Amino acid sequence: MIDIKISVRNIIEFVHRYGDIVSSTMGASPQRMEEGTRAHVKIQKDRQKENASYEKEQYLKYEILFEDIRFTVDGRADGMVRGSYIEEIKSTYTPLEDVDEDFNRLYWAQVMFYGFMYMEEHKTENILLLLTYFNLDTEVSKTFEKTFTYEELKTFVTETIEEYLQYVREDARWKKERNESLKELKFPFLNYRTGQRELAVDVYRTLRQGGKLFAKAPTGIGKTISTLFPAVKAIGEGEADRIFYLTAKGTLKTVAEEAVEIIRNKGGSVKFLTITSKEKVCLNDEVNCNPDKCTFAEGHYDRINACILDILKKESSYSKEMILSYARKYRVCPFELSLDLSYFSDLIICDYNYVFDPRVYLRRFFVDVRENYIFLVDEAHNLVDRSRDMYSALLTKDMVMEAKKAGEKFSYLKRSLTKVNKKFIEIRKVLEEKGGKQHYFGVSDDLIFTLKDFLMAFEIFQKEVREDFEGREKILDLFFAVNSFLNIAELYNDGYVTYEENSGSNVIIKLFCVYPRDLLIDVFKRAKASILFSATLSPMSYYFDVLGGEEADYRKTLGSPFPKENLQVYLDRGIDTRYRKREESFSGISENIHKMVSGKKGNYIAFFPSYKYMRDVHEIFMEKYGDFFETYIQEPSLGEKERDEVLSLFYAEREKSFVAFMVLGGIFSEGIDLAGEALIGTSVVGVGYPQVSYERDLIKDYFARDNLGFEYAYIYPGINRVLQAAGRVIRSETDQGLVLLMDLRYSWAQYKHLLPEEWLPLRDWKNQNQ
């Protein structure tokens, strides 16, 4: 027996959706949700005054058997008077004179479903249904009434469910095939690597018991397959319903895809989808989801379900190329198609933000959780800074002025933006007296009220002004920024600091999430089990704390699977890279790089803490040794194509050694795989500290209360960068190479204890055998 559970709203919005994709919506803003709630409360109170028997938010459920499928639909009717009527309430800014009975067919479908569920339970022959619209500007309502018989509503509900069952049956057929294949699935390699079975067993145990596992697993163990294999086995055994494989970088998505293909090639039927950003799959020259500008947005919902059914019948996985092909065939938006196909995927490979970011997370899965999810968080060390970004929000006076200038001729926009700008002027005056910066805990209620006023004005603007004009984009940009700011303000807790800063006439205000722990704990509650893994979760206590580890969660630290002698780690403690000594280090660093590259012909990388430091040393190196080697120096802001071109340099045939000068924490210091002879040595200058900044100092001040300020702000993030950079050298059991650390601080106990055990004791570079 297959159990299918779905809400009334979800089945209606899937089966009966129609029309165009609308690019901008207020649906996700806290202001809009608050206004919608206000509309419901107002109507419900008025009804209760009219009739004391009026009941609000009444839960209804309907269950029916279709062959081997038990189908359950449930939801809450906004209001009812038993034996008399059921009501659905909707809020709108559309003038009520423009709202007719057919204003939105989905709303009628929703209340019709509730009507049938009530009649089925109470065995009545007919029912009065009310659909009430409440205008948020005028606070006036308009109600439409229809009477239906039991047979009419039963026919409607039966047809709706049978339509949906087409997709359910295809999905159920697939899941039966999947589960049978996964029962027989064996580990896809002949042997486990050292530590690999241990990791896979711990992952599987966590998936069955629930909770979180923090796993530090060095390069070479095979983390991706060691987490994915037990996860798909858990799905086949009914321990979970869906896997989310979460990455911080696009290159890691490819690694996950390759691991799934290995499982599929060994007979494991797993249907997977990689969510690609809208910009990368758009079939137009530019992303513009206005149905007047995009043929794929126009009428998208009229065609999308036929497209999905065709795919379910014919395809066993969802590649980007396949999605684009069907999108062209059915003339639908490929990005929206991929999101719909996620419903019918066993494994979803996507960026962190689709699960963690409150602005773009997949609400279809996480607003009303009805399944057991598995979160596999790859390179979890990246989640610290990414979560700080995702849970922070920023507004500037310049944004406001640009939008105000663009909306000058719309009086309601001009009025609201003048008020917002006035708030920024007040902040600037205070900052001028305080040296240009200040930070504090909390969010100004006056600012929040003023921003909400702008959102109300913006919604009127969206309804009334459909044509494009110069500057419209600036108004939209401010809308998204304000919407984000208000969303984050709703999350504001003890882990936040608000700071203000002025630069000339501009003013910045930021809600800065310093300590995302509690917010991440809430997100992880959406999953049955979460596995956070990386080669560089060091120190474990730091990542366990910041990323939401709780008392019942598990920790695992594994040693390197490679022979210790394969990687020789040296230290030149005579190099002092601290700021006041930096210039004195240039010559010694240049000489060390020369010695490293001269030792054996091959490819090397020299990593630096900043572009300026790198250029200063590079200049000296080229002057002294440039004729003896081939070199490359990293440029900032490289695109994906340029990045691939640089990586190809490590595979070129050469007569001389090649050395690349690169930046720690950049695109080449992690997430790239230079196996074998592609890279045989790396030097790391400094201890990897992030750049000193106002935000870093706010982090330091915040954690100073636990005497961990400098560690959390600088030392631990810095060491992670060092470990990631050094990890580029040894990628397989046959690789051999060296790492040269250049900074006297590695000989200090507080730094040395953060290094991998297999690196110790560090070899003295001055005594190396050339």
Side-chain angles (χ1 to χ4, degrees):
M1 180 67 67
I2 299 168
D3 279 309
I4 301 296
K5 296 178 181 179
I6 190 170
S7 69
V8 170
R9 180 172 180 170
N10 283 347
I11 191 171
I12 293 300
E13 289 183 350
F14 184 87
V15 172
H16 294 288
R17 54 188 171 170
Y18 64 95
D20 308 333
I21 294 174
V22 180
S23 59
S24 292
T25 176
M26 289 287 288
S29 78
Q31 165 72 359
R32 190 64 178 87
M33 291 186 285
E34 184 182 308
E35 295 291 344
T37 301
R38 180 168 62 84
H40 279 67
V41 170
K42 173 78 165 58
I43 297 296
Q44 288 166 344
K45 283 185 176 179
D46 289 346
R47 295 288 189 235
Q48 286 173 331
K49 288 178 183 177
E50 296 168 5
N51 189 332
S53 300
Y54 184 89
E55 301 173 76
K56 61 182 182 180
E57 307 299 331
Q58 289 301 296
Y59 179 76
L60 296 165
K61 184 171 82 169
Y62 175 59
E63 186 174 288
I64 186 171
L65 293 176
F66 286 87
E67 299 170 0
D68 61 340
I69 297 173
R70 182 189 292 114
F71 201 88
T72 305
V73 190
D74 66 357
R76 291 188 181 276
D78 290 333
M80 70 169 68
V81 174
R82 294 179 185 273
S84 181
Y85 67 82
I86 291 179
E87 181 175 38
E88 183 71 12
I89 303 166
K90 298 298 180 184
S91 58
T92 182
Y93 279 100
T94 303
L96 292 182
E97 57 267 26
D98 295 333
V99 175
D100 59 17
E101 193 174 86
D102 295 322
F103 179 68
N104 190 315
R105 301 201 299 265
L106 297 184
Y107 296 163
W108 272 119
Q110 203 169 328
V111 71
M112 287 166 67
F113 217 113
Y114 290 134
F116 170 76
M117 294 160 80
Y118 177 86
M119 296 174 80
E120 179 70 13
E121 181 180 349
H122 296 279
K123 309 302 179 188
T124 58
E125 294 184 3
N126 52 61
I127 193 167
L128 177 65
L129 301 181
L130 276 57
L131 178 55
T132 297
Y133 291 94
F134 181 87
N135 184 280
L136 292 165
D137 277 334
T138 63
E139 297 199 350
V140 174
S141 63
K142 184 176 186 178
T143 300
F144 298 97
E145 300 181 0
K146 287 184 182 182
T147 300
F148 291 90
T149 66
Y150 173 80
E151 288 302 323
E152 285 176 321
L153 293 185
K154 183 176 182 180
T155 298
F156 163 75
V157 167
T158 302
E159 288 176 351
T160 298
I161 293 175
E162 286 182 344
E163 173 72 17
Y164 189 70
L165 281 177
Q166 295 183 81
Y167 306 88
V168 171
R169 289 193 177 100
E170 290 299 328
D171 195 41
R173 173 188 59 78
W174 166 261
K175 285 177 179 174
K176 183 179 178 182
E177 176 187 328
R178 177 200 69 191
N179 291 350
E180 288 174 355
S181 74
L182 294 179
K183 282 178 186 175
E184 304 300 322
L185 182 66
K186 305 295 183 188
F187 189 70
F189 298 104
L190 286 176
N191 299 301
Y192 284 92
R193 294 178 183 175
T194 303
Q196 193 168 42
R197 178 190 287 275
E198 192 178 348
L199 176 59
V201 168
D202 281 343
V203 168
Y204 184 72
R205 184 184 297 119
T206 306
L207 299 181
R208 293 198 65 180
Q209 295 176 355
K212 298 188 285 289
L213 168 65
F214 290 75
K216 178 188 172 187
T219 300
I221 281 179
K223 295 183 289 294
T224 305
I225 201 70
S226 300
T227 54
L228 267 176
F229 174 70
V232 298
K233 290 291 285 185
I235 282 208
E237 293 168 6
E239 294 289 345
D241 300 296
R242 206 180 308 274
I243 305 164
F244 291 85
Y245 192 99
L246 309 169
T247 73
K249 295 180 171 64
T251 51
L252 299 175
K253 293 179 186 176
T254 304
V255 174
E257 289 169 346
E258 290 170 351
V260 182
E261 286 298 347
I262 290 170
I263 290 172
R264 284 162 55 86
N265 290 337
K266 293 294 183 179
S269 296
V270 180
K271 192 176 281 188
F272 74 96
L273 165 77
T274 300
I275 297 181
T276 307
S277 68
K278 184 181 292 186
E279 290 73 20
K280 291 184 178 179
V281 294
C282 183
L283 291 166
N284 297 320
D285 293 333
E286 63 174 344
V287 177
N288 186 337
C289 298
N290 187 325
D292 297 331
K293 302 289 184 181
C294 177
T295 184
F296 300 98
E298 182 272 324
H300 165 91
Y301 293 117
D302 298 327
R303 302 179 293 273
I304 186 62
N305 283 8
C307 176
I308 291 170
L309 191 58
D310 193 12
I311 291 173
L312 292 181
K313 289 179 176 179
K314 295 176 181 176
E315 308 294 340
S316 61
S317 68
Y318 311 130
S319 67
K320 177 182 175 182
E321 293 71 25
M322 184 226 77
I323 289 171
L324 291 173
S325 174
Y326 277 90
R328 291 188 184 95
K329 178 181 176 181
Y330 282 89
R331 198 161 55 85
V332 295
C333 169
F335 180 71
E336 292 295 330
L337 172 59
S338 69
L339 294 184
D340 277 341
L341 289 175
S342 67
Y343 276 127
F344 305 99
S345 301
D346 308 312
L347 166 66
I348 299 168
I349 302 170
C350 58
D351 189 272
Y352 291 161
N353 59 6
Y354 289 105
V355 167
F356 294 103
D357 194 323
R359 290 157 283 209
V360 298
Y361 76 101
L362 296 170
R363 285 171 175 78
R364 62 188 65 203
F365 292 110
F366 303 127
V367 167
D368 180 17
V369 177
R370 291 167 177 257
E371 296 182 321
N372 287 322
Y373 299 140
I374 293 171
F375 293 165
L376 303 180
V377 186
D378 195 1
E379 300 292 3
H381 63 275
N382 286 307
L383 188 56
V384 176
D385 284 340
R386 280 292 301 275
S387 58
R388 283 187 177 130
D389 288 341
M390 290 186 285
Y391 297 120
S392 298
L394 174 142
L395 286 177
T396 72
K397 186 177 185 299
D398 283 353
M399 291 180 191
V400 176
M401 289 305 296
E402 288 174 349
K404 184 172 180 286
K405 182 180 178 182
E408 192 75 25
K409 62 182 178 181
F410 308 107
S411 59
Y412 45 88
L413 276 182
K414 182 180 178 181
R415 175 188 57 79
S416 66
L417 289 174
T418 298
K419 289 181 179 178
V420 177
N421 187 52
K422 186 178 177 183
K423 287 292 174 190
F424 275 92
I425 292 172
E426 292 172 3
I427 293 169
R428 186 173 64 195
K429 288 178 179 176
V430 173
L431 291 174
E432 285 170 353
E433 296 174 1
K434 295 193 173 186
K437 293 177 184 177
Q438 71 168 349
H439 67 273
Y440 52 88
F441 177 80
V443 188
S444 163
D445 289 338
D446 285 347
L447 178 62
I448 294 296
F449 180 80
T450 308
L451 294 175
K452 287 182 177 180
D453 185 56
F454 162 69
L455 287 192
M456 292 176 67
F458 176 83
E459 186 154 347
I460 298 170
F461 166 76
Q462 280 290 84
K463 293 284 193 300
E464 293 184 357
V465 186
R466 303 302 296 268
E467 72 275 6
D468 280 336
F469 61 89
E470 187 177 353
R472 185 185 186 106
E473 209 56 43
K474 298 297 183 183
I475 299 171
L476 283 172
D477 288 346
L478 182 63
F479 159 70
F480 288 120
V482 168
N483 199 25
S484 171
F485 194 91
L486 292 175
N487 269 310
I488 295 304
E490 294 285 311
L491 299 174
Y492 201 98
N493 61 22
D494 289 343
Y496 277 83
V497 172
T498 301
Y499 74 81
E500 297 164 352
E501 196 173 3
N502 75 319
S503 175
S505 62
N506 192 27
V507 175
I508 296 167
I509 179 168
K510 184 168 183 177
L511 310 181
F512 180 39
C513 182
V514 179
Y515 191 35
R517 173 184 170 80
D518 288 345
L519 298 173
L520 292 173
I521 287 174
D522 286 342
V523 173
F524 284 121
K525 286 177 182 175
R526 298 170 185 163
K528 176 187 177 183
S530 300
I531 313 298
L532 296 88
F533 56 100
S534 168
T536 57
L537 289 186
S538 180
M540 176 66 80
S541 58
Y542 164 67
Y543 291 100
F544 193 82
D545 176 24
V546 178
L547 297 180
E550 299 176 276
E551 188 176 348
D553 294 333
Y554 310 100
R555 312 182 207 196
K556 186 73 176 181
T557 298
L558 295 159
S560 173
F562 304 140
K564 183 174 180 177
E565 58 270 18
N566 283 17
L567 181 68
Q568 299 178 32
V569 185
Y570 291 93
L571 168 63
D572 186 346
R573 69 188 67 212
I575 300 292
D576 189 348
T577 71
R578 289 175 295 177
Y579 192 75
R580 66 181 182 274
K581 295 283 189 177
R582 189 161 286 187
E583 286 192 23
E584 299 173 21
S585 70
F586 296 163
S587 181
I589 293 168
S590 175
E591 183 180 338
N592 281 347
I593 295 171
H594 167 249
K595 287 181 180 178
M596 176 181 74
V597 180
S598 301
K600 179 183 176 183
K601 180 188 161 189
N603 299 321
Y604 299 83
I605 298 178
F607 284 110
F608 292 83
S610 71
Y611 281 97
K612 184 180 186 309
Y613 205 159
M614 175 183 70
R615 292 189 188 106
D616 288 338
V617 174
H618 179 262
E619 184 178 346
I620 293 173
F621 181 85
M622 294 303 292
E623 199 175 293
K624 287 185 176 181
Y625 312 114
D627 293 339
F628 303 106
F629 311 105
E630 296 186 51
T631 63
Y632 164 80
I633 182 167
Q634 183 180 344
E635 295 294 332
S637 306
L638 294 179
E640 200 170 314
K641 182 182 177 184
E642 292 89 348
R643 172 187 166 280
D644 291 341
E645 289 172 353
V646 172
L647 291 178
S648 70
L649 297 175
F650 289 88
Y651 296 93
E653 292 287 335
R654 302 182 185 281
E655 294 182 2
K656 305 176 181 177
S657 281
F658 169 69
V659 58
F661 287 70
M662 292 176 165
V663 176
L664 272 174
I667 58 175
F668 298 112
S669 64
E670 68 173 281
I672 62 169
D673 203 4
L674 297 171
E677 295 297 311
L679 181 68
I680 64 170
T682 287
S683 64
V684 179
V685 175
V687 289
Y689 288 171
Q691 187 173 352
V692 174
S693 68
Y694 187 37
E695 288 191 358
R696 278 286 148 190
D697 284 344
L698 289 176
I699 296 171
K700 182 181 69 154
D701 293 343
Y702 182 93
F703 290 104
R705 62 190 184 185
D706 300 317
N707 296 316
L708 288 168
F710 198 74
E711 286 83 353
Y712 272 41
Y714 292 101
I715 294 179
Y716 297 161
I719 286 296
N720 189 279
R721 291 180 174 189
V722 172
L723 298 180
Q724 283 291 328
R728 301 312 99 205
V729 179
I730 300 293
R731 309 300 295 175
S732 74
E733 52 271 14
T734 58
D735 287 2
Q736 293 187 340
L738 69 84
V739 170
L740 168 59
L741 304 175
M742 290 187 263
D743 195 294
L744 62 87
R745 284 168 286 189
Y746 289 109
S747 61
W748 299 358
Q750 69 181 123
Y751 292 86
K752 188 183 293 185
H753 89 274
L754 297 174
L755 301 179
E757 187 179 336
E758 59 270 17
W759 286 17
L760 302 175
L762 297 174
R763 303 175 185 223
D764 187 350
W765 179 247
K766 298 300 182 185
N767 297 326
Q768 91 275 27
N769 183 358
Q770 290 293 92

